[in-house]
Amino acid sequence: MLMAHPAVLEELLRRYEELRSRYGGGDEGLARSLEDVTYTLCVSTGTRDIAAALVVAREQLRRSVPRGKAPASASVPA
């Protein structure tokens, strides 16, 4: 399986978390952006749902970072 570059995963996680925190259900543009980033995270991690995609992305990032350093997005819960 191809793996996304860690910088790509970090950006996707950052965008997902930002959109998720702002989403209230009424903004169609925001909903579409959230759908897009959710889909991209799933494709990038080879998963079919966002919960699995978040786990896989964070695990890939954890494995890609030298010991003693953690990406900022790794500590944010799903």
Side-chain angles (χ1 to χ4, degrees):
M1 173 175 76
L2 293 175
M3 292 178 60
H5 190 279
V8 172
L9 287 177
E10 284 180 346
E11 177 61 16
L12 288 170
L13 286 171
R14 185 198 65 74
R15 285 178 45 212
Y16 175 80
E17 291 160 358
E18 176 191 344
L19 291 168
R20 189 77 180 127
S21 71
R22 293 175 38 209
Y23 182 66
D27 185 338
E28 287 186 31
L30 192 59
R32 179 64 186 172
S33 294
L34 184 57
E35 287 175 19
D36 289 347
V37 76
T38 298
Y39 173 82
T40 305
L41 265 168
C42 288
V43 169
S44 298
T45 57
T47 59
R48 292 184 177 260
D49 64 79
I50 190 59
L54 293 171
V55 169
V56 170
R58 290 177 178 140
E59 178 61 21
Q60 287 179 9
L61 286 174
R62 187 190 64 75
R63 285 184 284 155
S64 72
V65 175
R67 291 180 187 234
K69 288 187 169 184
S73 59
S75 62
V76 178

